[in-house]
C-alpha cells in the first residue's frame, strides 16, 4: 500500500440520514446536502446511496457541483444550488434542470430574464448577514416573486450548534415574519436546526454535517476511517530530533514510524507534536511537524511493527481531530485529500 486509504461507510451515511429524517418528523421532507464533494466523501457515491435510501431533494453549493450530481443521479431528484444564479450559469441551470436559490434582487432579475418560467427558490437573510434577501428587499419584490411560484423559500441559522443561543429564536422570529401566511414551501433547518426541535423544521430540512458523522449530531455513526501506510520505521537515539525544525527531540531511545500522509492530503499542520494515530485500539503520538507528504509517529510502545496507522477511526472521529487542530469537523472532512484511495462499504 503506497497511499493512504480512506474508508467510507455508506451504510452509516444512510443510517444517519434515516435517523435525522425520523427526528424531522413524518410530515417534513428530509433532503441531503452533498456540497464540497459530499463533505469529502465523494458526492456521486454519497448521492447515489442517499437517493437509493429515499432522498429526492439535494443541495449543492455551486452550479458545477449540481452538474456532476445530476450526471450521477439522473433526472428524478431536485438539485438545489445554494449559490443561486451566477452570471454565465444559465445554460448549465437549464440543461441540467438545477434549481438556484436566488439570493439577491440582482439574481432574481437575472433568472427571470434569462430563464423565464424555470424553477427557482429564494433565500432570505434572517440575521446571519451572509446570503439572502434582507427584509426590506423581500418586501419590495415579494409579490412578484410569490406570483412566479418559487419551489422553496429558505434561510440559514447562524448558531444552531449552540441550542441555547438567543440568536436561534431571533432568527426564527424574523423568518416567520417574512414568510408566515404565504403559500410557500419553507426550509430553515440544517443539522443543528433539526436538533432544535419541530418549530424549526417547517416543510423541508436539509442535514449536512450530521450525515457524515460530525457534530452537532452527537449520535451520528462514523462514516470515514483514514488508514495511513507505514513507509519506514527507524530507531532514534536519546537526544536525536525528528522532522523539520528539530521540533521534537527523543527523551529516551525511540522507534519512529514514518507514514504516507501530510498537509498536501488535507492534514492540518496544527496537529504537529499534538495529534494521535491509532494501531487498533492503541494510541500512538504524532511527533515532529506534519510535512507535505509525511507524518512521524512514536511507536516505541508497540510490541510489533505496524503496517498502517489510523488517523480517523472509531477512537478519533473528525471532531476529536478538529479539537486538537483548533478547527471544526467540517474543515477536517472537506479537506480530505484526493490522493487518498477511496474504499466504499455499502
Amino acid at each position: 500500500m503506497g497511499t493512504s486509504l480512506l474508508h467510507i461507510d455508506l451504510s452509516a451515511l444512510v443510517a444517519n440520514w434515516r435517523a435525522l429524517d425520523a427526528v424531522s418528523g413524518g410530515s417534513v421532507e428530509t433532503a441531503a446536502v452533498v456540497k464540497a464533494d459530499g463533505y469529502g466523501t465523494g458526492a456521486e457515491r454519497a448521492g447515489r446511496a442517499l437517493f437509493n435510501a429515499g432522498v429526492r431533494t439535494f443541495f449543492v453549493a455551486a452550479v458545477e457541483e449540481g452538474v456532476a450530481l445530476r450526471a450521477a443521479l439522473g433526472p428524478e431528484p431536485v438539485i438545489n444550488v445554494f449559490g443561486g444564479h451566477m452570471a454565465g450559469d444559465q445554460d448549465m441551470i437549464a440543461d441540467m434542470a438545477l434549481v438556484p436559490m436566488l439570493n439577491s434582487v440582482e439574481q432574481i432579475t437575472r433568472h427571470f430574464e434569462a430563464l423565464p418560467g424555470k424553477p427557482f427558490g429564494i433565500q432570505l437573510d434572517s440575521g446571519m448577514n451572509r446570503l439572502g434577501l434582507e427584509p426590506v428587499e423581500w418586501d419590495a419584490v415579494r409579490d412578484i416573486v410569490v406570483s412566479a411560484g418559487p419551489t422553496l423559500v429558505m434561510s440559514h441559522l447562524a448558531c444552531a450548534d449552540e441550542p441555547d443561543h438567543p440568536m436561534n429564536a431571533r432568527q426564527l422570529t424574523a423568518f416567520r415574519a417574512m414568510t408566515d401566511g404565504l403559500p410557500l414551501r419553507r426550509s430553515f433547518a440544517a443539522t443543528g436546526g433539526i436538533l432544535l426541535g419541530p418549530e424549526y423544521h417547517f416543510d423541508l430540512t436539509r442535514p449536512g454535517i450530521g450525515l457524515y458523522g460530525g457534530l452537532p449530531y452527537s449520535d451520528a455513526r462514523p462514516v470515514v476511517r483514514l488508514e495511513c501506510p507505514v513507509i519506514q520505521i527507524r530507531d532514534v537515539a536519546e537526544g536525536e530530533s525528528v522532522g523539520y525544525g528539530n521540533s521534537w527531540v527523543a527523551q529516551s531511545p525511540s522507534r519512529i514510524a514514518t507514514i504516507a500522509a501530510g498537509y498536501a492530503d488535507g492534514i492540518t499542520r496544527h496537529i504537529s507534536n499534538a495529534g494521535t494515530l491509532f494501531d487498533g485500539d492503541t494510541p500512538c503520538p504524532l511527533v515532529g511537524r506534519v510535512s507535505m507528504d509525511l507524518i512521524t509517529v512514536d511507536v516505541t510502545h508497540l510490541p510489533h511493527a505496524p503496517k498502517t496507522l489510523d488517523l480517523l477511526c472509531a477512537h478519533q472521529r473528525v471532531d476529536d481531530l478538529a479539537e486538537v487542530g483548533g478547527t471544526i469537523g467540517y474543515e477536517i472532512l472537506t479537506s480530505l485529500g484526493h490522493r487518498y484511495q477511496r474504499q466504499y462499504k455499502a
Side-chain angles (χ1 to χ4, degrees):
M1 182 188 299
T3 58
S4 293
L5 185 58
L6 184 64
H7 300 266
I8 299 166
D9 187 345
L10 296 174
S11 65
L13 172 73
V14 167
N16 291 336
W17 177 79
R18 286 180 172 146
L20 289 167
D21 180 47
V23 175
S24 295
S27 63
V28 178
E29 180 184 0
T30 305
V33 180
V34 293
K35 62 182 180 175
D37 196 27
Y39 287 62
T41 66
E44 295 177 12
R45 293 294 296 270
R48 280 198 292 269
L50 291 163
F51 180 78
N52 291 336
V55 179
R56 289 299 176 266
T57 302
F58 292 86
F59 287 84
V60 295
V63 163
E64 291 79 7
E65 292 180 338
V67 169
L69 190 64
R70 177 66 74 205
L73 300 186
E76 184 175 348
V78 175
I79 300 177
N80 297 307
V81 181
F82 284 132
H85 187 151
M86 301 293 288
D89 282 351
Q90 59 263 24
D91 288 343
M92 288 187 287
I93 290 172
D95 292 347
M96 293 297 176
L98 306 178
V99 182
M101 298 290 106
L102 306 179
N103 291 291
S104 65
V105 174
E106 179 185 13
Q107 287 198 351
I108 292 169
T109 303
R110 178 182 297 128
H111 190 76
F112 283 17
E113 290 180 351
L115 296 173
K118 293 293 185 181
F120 69 94
I122 292 290
Q123 184 158 191
L124 301 177
D125 177 22
S126 56
M128 193 174 187
N129 286 307
R130 195 177 63 168
L131 282 179
L133 294 158
E134 295 185 5
V136 65
E137 295 174 309
W138 178 234
D139 286 343
V141 301
R142 180 181 56 231
D143 292 345
I144 295 172
V145 169
V146 171
S147 67
T151 59
L152 189 71
V153 60
M154 61 163 286
S155 191
H156 195 61
L157 287 157
C159 302
D161 56 341
E162 301 177 58
D164 297 327
H165 200 293
M167 185 65 170
N168 296 320
R170 288 203 300 270
Q171 284 193 258
L172 178 62
T173 298
F175 185 61
R176 296 197 72 105
M178 287 189 280
T179 60
D180 275 358
L182 297 176
L184 299 173
R185 204 158 175 256
R186 293 184 285 182
S187 176
F188 195 43
T191 300
I194 293 171
L195 302 176
L196 289 177
E199 62 185 326
Y200 289 85
H201 295 171
F202 294 94
D203 302 297
L204 179 144
T205 60
R206 42 179 211 278
I209 189 66
L211 302 179
Y212 305 96
L215 294 175
Y217 184 36
S218 58
D219 292 334
R221 285 174 51 181
V223 172
V224 298
R225 178 168 74 91
L226 181 55
E227 180 184 8
C228 305
V230 174
I231 300 175
Q232 182 180 13
I233 297 178
R234 68 172 64 243
D235 293 320
V236 175
E238 180 179 349
E240 288 189 318
S241 63
V242 172
Y244 285 119
N246 294 3
S247 66
W248 185 84
V249 177
Q251 301 302 303
S252 59
S254 303
R255 300 187 75 216
I256 303 299
T258 300
I259 69 170
Y263 59 75
D265 303 293
I267 299 171
T268 175
R269 292 179 76 248
H270 293 295
I271 67 169
S272 298
N273 290 299
T276 303
L277 289 88
F278 285 82
D279 176 53
D281 298 329
T282 305
C284 302
L286 188 159
V287 298
R289 291 182 185 170
V290 174
S291 56
M292 184 181 292
D293 311 299
L294 302 170
I295 293 174
T296 42
V297 181
D298 188 350
V299 296
T300 309
H301 56 299
L302 297 182
H304 60 278
K307 300 214 180 287
T308 64
L309 294 169
D310 290 344
L311 182 61
L312 293 172
C313 59
H315 301 292
Q316 181 165 259
R317 297 171 62 166
V318 291
D319 292 288
D320 301 318
L321 186 61
E323 184 174 359
V324 176
T327 183
I328 56 175
Y330 295 78
E331 185 174 6
I332 298 295
L333 274 172
T334 58
S335 297
L336 294 173
H338 290 288
R339 292 197 297 187
Y340 299 138
Q341 178 185 345
R342 283 167 165 75
Q343 184 173 97
Y344 291 90
K345 175 185 174 184

